[in-house]
């Protein structure tokens, strides 16, 4: 339980509602900032404006998945007002206050460092990334169906990268009957791809494998689907780029060649906000309970 813990939830989308639900169930007290237009009321949670919150009592701050923009703005889909997080706000919190975010950027890193507050990036955790790969794959299947006139079954699908997302994508497309080849650079990844019953190739040889590719799914956050690779693809190829912005595809060249290339960020929040929110809520509630217990242990 989180009885007695004070948490500020600042901004976010439908995923944050699952976090709020879970944390109120655990009996924490929540200040909801950037939720004025939310119809639903949660017992134990009050809607406040940033300047109304007494940050000296706040044990944790929960930011939405993207954290902040590079100028400190926080996405608030349940409010018309702009909300900014600054070093000054963080300095008002007690030294033990921890900031939780999906991902971070140079701005968020800098203000948490200057204020000397701990920042936890949930998406850098393996458990969150692996659970999150499930709705990501479902979103990828949705895009493949929407943007092709052939079945996934029987298609030649290339997956680039055998990380947390790449492995789930490769396995699921193979289960749907696609002929899956996976490009990776580590010999252990090549071995794992072989063990999975899929066809491996070294990422440096990508250009030699795309002559008859139907669907190319990239998970590598570096430019790998380059102009020279795209120039060898058949014109019907669909490229779905899952890697974080700006992706790993030369989109300008793909457009010039008339090849459909889609950058598809944030699929879990689009196709399954409830599940994506529950994934974060489960991990977050465990981290907050651990944090709370270790602080209580230090006090007693
Ligand atoms: P990950 O576990 O770190 O996997 C990344 C993969 O890329 C690894 O196999 C890594 O191989 C490979 N890689 C990295 N740099 C490379 C390079 N220069 N050349 C060749 N291979 C390289 O990451 P993940 O969790 O799978 O996520 C992959 C991407 O998808 C990230 O950008 C993430 O933000 C994004 N993502 C998008 C969505 C969405 O909805 N679109 C959802 C979740 C995640 P090595 O081990 O050899 O480095």
């Amino acid at each position: 339980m989180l009885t007695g813990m004070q948490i500020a939830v600042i901004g976010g989308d439908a995923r944050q509602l699952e976090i709020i639900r879970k944390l109120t169930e655990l009996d924490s007290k929540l200040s909801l900032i950037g939720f004025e237009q939310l119809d639903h009321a949660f017992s134990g949670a009050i809607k406040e404006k940033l300047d109304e919150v007494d940050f000296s009592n706040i044990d944790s701050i929960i930011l939405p998945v993207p954290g902040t923009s590079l100028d400190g703005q926080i996405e608030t889909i349940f409010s018309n007002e702009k909300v900014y997080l600054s070093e000054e706000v963080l300095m008002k919190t007690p030294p033990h206050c921890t900031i939780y975010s999906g991902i971070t950027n140079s701005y968020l890193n800098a203000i948490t460092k200057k204020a000397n507050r701990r920042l936890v990036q949930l998406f850098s955790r393996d458990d969150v990334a692996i659970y999150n790969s499930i709705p990501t794959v479902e979103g990828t299947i949705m895009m493949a169906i929407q943007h092709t006139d052939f079945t996934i079954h029987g298609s030649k699908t290339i997956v680039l990268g055998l990380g947390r997302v790449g492995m789930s994508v490769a396995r699921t497309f193979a289960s749907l009957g696609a002929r899956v080849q996976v490009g990776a650079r580590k010999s252990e990844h090549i071995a794992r791809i072989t063990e999975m019953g899929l066809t491996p190739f070294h990422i440096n040889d990508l250009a030699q494998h795309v002559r008859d590719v139907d669907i190319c799914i990239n998970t590598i956050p570096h430019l790998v689907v380059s102009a020279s690779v795209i120039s060898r693809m058949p014109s019907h190829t669909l490229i779905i780029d899952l890697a974080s912005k700006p992706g790993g595809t030369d989109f300008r060249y793909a457009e010039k060649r008339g090849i459909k290339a889609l950058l598809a960020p944030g699929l879990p929040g689009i196709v399954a906000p409830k599940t994506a929110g529950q994934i974060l809520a489960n991990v977050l509630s465990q981290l907050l309970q651990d944090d709370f217990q270790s602080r209580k242990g230090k006090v007693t």
Side-chain angles (χ1 to χ4, degrees):
M1 296 299 285
L2 294 171
T3 310
M5 195 168 194
Q6 302 256 4
I7 302 170
V9 180
I10 312 181
D13 54 29
R15 285 174 283 187
Q16 238 58 3
L17 303 184
E18 294 303 318
I19 294 173
I20 295 168
R21 196 184 319 281
K22 181 96 185 179
L23 298 185
T24 51
E25 274 168 22
L26 291 170
D27 201 28
S28 59
K29 283 219 164 100
L30 300 188
S31 292
L32 307 182
I33 300 137
F35 289 90
E36 295 91 66
Q37 292 173 352
L38 179 67
D39 288 336
H40 195 85
F42 295 91
S43 70
I46 48 168
K47 295 174 191 166
E48 288 181 282
K49 293 200 189 306
L50 192 82
D51 53 11
E52 293 168 352
V53 179
D54 179 2
F55 277 96
S56 67
N57 287 327
I58 295 294
D59 298 304
S60 296
I61 294 176
I62 298 177
L63 301 177
V65 168
T68 67
S69 67
L70 285 173
D71 64 353
Q73 194 177 341
I74 299 176
E75 256 178 29
T76 51
I77 69 154
F78 297 108
S79 169
N80 286 331
E81 290 190 22
K82 290 190 173 172
V83 179
Y84 290 88
L85 187 69
S86 63
E87 184 192 337
E88 289 69 42
V89 169
L90 296 182
M91 292 297 286
K92 291 181 195 162
T93 61
H96 68 257
C97 178
T98 303
I99 292 85
Y100 294 91
S101 174
I103 55 173
T104 188
N105 59 27
S106 52
Y107 177 85
L108 189 55
N109 286 339
I111 60 166
T112 47
K113 193 169 174 204
K114 279 191 207 152
N116 198 19
R117 297 294 180 268
R118 192 163 73 96
L119 172 67
V120 176
Q121 279 182 73
L122 298 172
F123 277 24
S124 65
R125 293 174 56 96
D126 266 343
D127 52 2
V128 173
I130 292 168
Y131 285 128
N132 214 38
S133 74
I134 300 167
T136 306
V137 172
E138 292 192 9
T140 310
I141 294 166
M142 176 189 79
M143 295 192 73
I145 292 171
Q146 280 175 342
H147 293 280
T148 56
D149 57 5
F150 50 84
T151 56
I152 292 172
H153 186 277
S155 69
K156 175 170 167 182
T157 297
I158 285 183
V159 178
L160 302 175
L162 192 77
R164 286 126 353 151
V165 174
M167 186 178 286
S168 304
V169 170
R171 188 191 300 107
T172 311
F173 273 70
S175 310
L176 289 173
R179 292 175 290 127
V180 176
Q181 295 195 357
V182 186
R185 62 178 172 181
K186 286 185 179 148
S187 65
E188 61 265 38
H189 285 172
I190 300 287
R192 178 61 68 192
I193 296 159
T194 309
E195 177 276 327
M196 290 167 73
L198 309 177
T199 308
F201 64 86
H202 195 283
I203 194 74
N204 290 347
D205 300 331
L206 174 59
Q208 293 151 38
H209 291 265
V210 298
R211 255 170 233 293
D212 54 352
V213 62
D214 299 307
I215 303 171
C216 178
I217 301 167
N218 177 49
T219 74
I220 299 175
H222 291 280
L223 182 61
V224 280
V225 189
S226 60
S228 78
V229 169
I230 295 169
S231 69
R232 291 177 170 86
M233 288 177 172
S235 59
H236 74 270
T237 304
L238 171 68
I239 302 170
I240 302 175
D241 199 330
L242 300 176
S244 51
K245 282 178 191 165
T249 302
D250 188 333
F251 289 97
R252 185 203 61 83
Y253 185 75
E255 189 177 359
K256 191 171 165 199
R257 258 218 68 200
I259 287 191
K260 199 182 270 185
L262 309 167
L263 184 62
L267 288 175
I270 296 168
V271 298
K274 194 174 175 75
T275 309
Q278 284 166 347
I279 292 167
L280 293 170
N282 289 340
V283 173
L284 203 44
S285 58
Q286 193 54 54
L287 292 177
L288 288 167
Q289 288 183 79
D290 293 348
D291 198 21
F292 198 39
Q293 289 309 324
S294 79
R295 235 168 355 94
K296 278 207 292 199
K298 275 182 200 155
V299 171
T300 51

